[in-house]
C-alpha cells in the first residue's frame, strides 16, 4: 500500500526571523532556504519570493527537494485530508503565491541574547554590538507590523525571550486588543528569568500564552550546572514549581513542555528527567544533540551518544528501553530522525 503524502505547513503559514545576518527570513529551523531579509525587503516581497515559492512547490509535488530528508517534521505533518481547508486548496490547485492573510505564525529568533552559555549552543553569553543594536531596532519595527495579522507568536528561537529587551517588553506590555488575530503566544526559555514576578507582569496575555517550553538537559544539580552554565538548579526548580501550580489554577492551562538534549554526560538521567516532568505535570521532549558550530568534529562525536558506534551507544539504547519512557507524556522528539523510535525500541 502506498504511503499517504504529508504536507509540511510551515512554508505556507510561517515567517521565521533569524539573526545571522540580522533579519534573515527562513521558512523553518531545518531548511537551508533563505527567503529574504526583513531589513532590506518588505514582507510582501519576502512572503512570495521565488525561493519560498519553489519550496512550496516541492512540498506540493512531494519531492521535498529543498528539505533535509531526516527532518522529523515531515512525517508529523498532516495528510491532504487533515490540512485546514484553505491550505488543502493551495495544494489541490498548486498555488504557491499566497495572500498575506495566509501568514499565521511569526517565529522570532532575531535577538540572540541569553543569560546562559550552554556548551551545546554557544561558547559565551551573547552580547550585541552597536551595529547589531541598530539592526535590531529596524527588525523590531517590522515585527510589530507582522504581529498585527498573525495568529501565533513564538519566542524566542535563538536566545531567551526574557534576556531580550524587545521581546520581554512585548510580552509585558502587549495589549490583545492591538493584535485582534493573535490567539497563541508560545514562550521558549531556559526558565531562569521566568520568575513569579515576571509571570505576573504578563497578566494581560495569560489567556494567550498557550505553550511554555523550558530547556533543561539534566535531572540533577551537578549535570545542570555543566550543561546550562551558569544556571542555578534551585532557582530553576522554584520557577517550575510555581508555573506548575499556576497552571493547575487555569481554566485553559498552557501546554507545558520540558526539553532534554541527550548527550554523553546526561543520558543516564533521562528516566529521572521524565519522572520529574510527570511530577510537574509537563510533557517530556527528547532531542538528539546537534553541532551548532560550537564543537569540533571530535568533540561532537564524544558527546553524540545517540550515534551508532559511540562507545556508550548500547548503554544509552538499554536505558531508552526503560518502561517509564513509554508513558504518554514522553515525546521522543528528534531522536526519531536517528531511527531511535518507540516502535524500533519495542516501547
Amino acid at each position: 500500500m502506498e504511503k499517504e503524502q504529508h504536507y509540511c505547513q510551515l512554508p505556507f503559514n510561517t515567517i521565521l526571523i533569524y539573526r545571522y545576518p540580522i533579519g534573515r527570513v527562513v521558512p523553518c529551523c531545518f531548511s537551508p532556504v533563505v527567503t529574504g531579509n526583513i531589513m532590506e525587503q518588505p514582507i510582501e516581497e519576502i512572503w512570495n519570493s521565488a525561493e519560498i515559492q519553489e519550496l512550496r512547490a516541492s512540498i506540493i509535488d512531494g519531492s521535498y527537494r529543498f528539505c533535509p530528508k531526516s527532518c522529523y517534521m515531515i512525517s508529523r505533518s498532516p495528510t491532504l485530508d487533515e490540512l485546514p481547508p484553505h491550505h488543502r486548496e493551495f495544494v489541490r490547485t498548486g498555488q504557491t503565491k499566497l495572500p498575506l492573510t495566509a501568514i499565521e505564525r511569526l517565529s522570532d529568533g532575531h535577538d540572540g541574547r541569553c543569560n546562559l552559555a550552554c556548551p551545546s549552543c554557544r561558547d559565551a553569553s551573547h552580547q550585541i554590538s552597536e551595529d547589531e543594536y541598530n539592526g535590531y531596532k529596524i527588525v523590531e519595527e517590522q515585527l510589530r507590523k507582522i504581529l498585527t495579522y498573525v495568529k501565533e507568536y513564538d519566542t524566542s528561537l535563538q536566545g531567551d525571550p526574557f534576556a531580550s529587551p524587545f521581546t520581554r517588553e512585548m510580552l509585558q506590555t502587549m495589549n490583545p486588543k492591538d493584535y485582534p488575530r493573535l490567539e497563541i503566544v508560545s514562550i521558549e526559555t531556559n526558565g531562569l528569568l521566568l520568575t513569579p514576578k515576571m509571570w505576573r507582569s504578563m497578566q494581560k496575555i495569560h489567556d494567550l500564552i498557550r505553550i511554555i517550553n523550558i530547556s533543561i538537559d539534566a535531572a540533577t544539580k551537578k549535570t545542570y550546572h555543566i550543561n546550562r552554565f551558569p544556571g542555578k538548579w534551585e532557582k530553576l526548580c522554584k520557577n517550575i514549581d510555581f508555573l506548575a501550580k499556576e497552571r493547575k489554577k487555569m481554566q485553559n492551562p498552557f501546554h507545558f513542555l520540558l526539553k532534554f538534549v541527550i548527550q554523553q554526560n546526561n543520558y543516564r538521567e533521562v528516566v529521572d528527567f521524565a519522572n520529574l516532568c510527570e511530577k510537574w505535570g509537563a510533557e517530556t521532549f527528547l532531542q538528539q544533540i546537534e553541532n551548532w558550530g560550537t564543537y569540533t568534529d571530535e568533540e561532537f562525536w564524544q558527546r553524540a551518544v545517540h550515534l551508532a558506534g559511540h562507545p556508550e551507544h548500547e548503554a544509552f539504547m538499554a536505558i531508552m528501553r526503560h518502561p517509564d519512557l513509554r508513558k504518554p507524556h514522553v515525546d521522543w522528539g528528534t531522536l526519531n530522525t536517528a531511527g531511535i523510535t518507540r516502535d524500533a525500541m519495542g516501547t
Side-chain angles (χ1 to χ4, degrees):
M1 182 176 175
E2 191 174 338
K3 291 175 67 175
E4 263 195 299
Q5 184 176 334
H6 292 262
Y7 297 89
C8 178
Q9 298 183 77
L10 295 179
F12 295 83
N13 66 12
T14 298
I15 290 283
L16 194 158
I17 301 174
Y18 270 149
R19 77 180 197 272
Y20 289 133
I22 298 171
R24 176 170 61 103
V25 179
V26 297
C28 73
C29 299
F30 308 102
S31 175
V33 175
V34 177
T35 60
N37 191 298
I38 203 70
M39 288 182 64
E40 302 166 357
Q41 302 160 272
I43 188 61
E44 293 85 355
E45 182 179 320
I46 294 171
W47 182 237
N48 282 307
S49 67
E51 292 82 3
I52 192 67
Q53 289 198 60
E54 287 180 6
L55 178 59
R56 289 169 185 153
S58 77
I59 293 171
I60 291 172
D61 67 27
S63 67
Y64 282 91
R65 58 187 177 275
F66 300 105
C67 303
K69 294 298 181 273
S70 61
C71 176
Y72 78 105
M73 290 295 292
I74 297 175
S75 62
R76 292 186 172 204
S77 295
T79 61
L80 184 63
D81 289 340
E82 294 168 338
L83 286 171
H86 67 283
H87 190 166
R88 193 182 310 139
E89 192 62 21
F90 296 153
V91 172
R92 283 178 172 157
T93 61
Q95 185 176 345
T96 60
K97 186 173 182 179
L98 308 182
L100 282 176
T101 52
I103 305 174
E104 297 182 345
R105 183 169 171 243
L106 170 63
S107 293
D108 179 16
H110 84 281
D111 190 341
R113 279 175 283 194
C114 188
N115 53 313
L116 297 183
C118 308
S120 62
C121 179
R122 61 189 77 214
D123 53 15
S125 59
H126 182 70
Q127 305 299 320
I128 65 169
S129 66
E130 185 176 348
D131 284 346
E132 283 181 302
Y133 177 81
N134 293 332
Y136 285 1
K137 289 299 181 184
I138 297 171
V139 171
E140 288 157 8
E141 285 181 24
Q142 299 302 316
L143 286 174
R144 290 182 189 278
K145 293 177 184 177
I146 298 170
L147 274 170
T148 60
Y149 49 81
V150 299
K151 294 181 179 179
E152 182 174 350
Y153 176 35
D154 294 348
T155 68
S156 164
L157 300 181
Q158 297 241 288
D160 190 276
F162 303 106
S164 162
F166 168 79
T167 311
R168 183 175 64 244
E169 182 185 354
M170 280 296 297
L171 293 171
Q172 292 174 317
T173 64
M174 181 182 285
N175 187 337
K177 292 180 181 179
D178 296 332
Y179 305 98
R181 295 193 69 199
L182 192 63
E183 298 173 357
I184 298 171
V185 173
S186 174
I187 295 174
E188 185 154 353
T189 175
N190 56 53
L192 292 165
L193 300 177
L194 185 45
T195 61
K197 182 179 179 180
M198 185 65 73
W199 173 254
R200 293 184 188 109
S201 75
M202 300 185 291
Q203 179 85 34
K204 286 191 288 189
I205 61 165
H206 279 182
D207 289 341
L208 291 179
I209 298 174
R210 307 305 328 127
I211 304 167
I212 296 181
N213 297 340
I214 299 179
S215 299
I216 300 178
D217 304 344
T220 64
K221 176 179 178 178
K222 180 180 178 182
T223 304
Y224 181 76
H225 287 175
I226 295 170
N227 289 348
R228 310 296 292 177
F229 179 81
K232 302 299 181 186
W233 178 252
E234 295 85 357
K235 183 176 182 180
L236 174 75
C237 292
K238 182 179 178 181
N239 289 347
I240 295 177
D241 281 337
F242 170 79
L243 289 170
K245 290 172 184 174
E246 287 296 298
R247 186 172 179 269
K248 287 181 180 178
K249 299 175 188 175
M250 300 174 74
Q251 285 189 330
N252 188 18
F254 54 81
H255 181 198
F256 202 16
L257 187 147
L258 305 180
K259 293 183 175 181
F260 189 96
V261 175
I262 288 177
Q263 48 202 294
Q264 188 276 332
N265 74 353
N266 71 1
Y267 74 90
R268 296 183 186 277
E269 298 178 16
V270 66
V271 175
D272 289 339
F273 181 76
N275 291 331
L276 263 180
C277 293
E278 186 174 34
K279 183 193 85 168
W280 281 319
E283 180 181 334
T284 303
F285 190 83
L286 304 179
Q287 297 173 278
Q288 59 177 299
I289 191 170
E290 305 280 356
N291 190 356
W292 302 111
T294 56
Y295 300 126
T296 64
D297 289 345
E298 177 59 29
E299 288 169 339
F300 178 70
W301 169 251
Q302 290 171 4
R303 289 163 174 77
V305 70
H306 67 283
L307 295 178
H310 189 284
E312 296 180 53
H313 181 70
E314 291 306 317
F316 159 65
M317 295 292 274
I319 287 172
M320 292 305 297
R321 295 185 179 93
H322 194 284
D324 284 356
L325 299 180
R326 303 176 188 178
K327 293 180 178 179
H329 77 284
V330 180
D331 187 332
W332 288 38
T334 64
L335 289 176
N336 288 285
T337 64
I340 302 171
T341 66
R342 287 176 183 267
D343 291 342
M345 298 293 290
T347 60

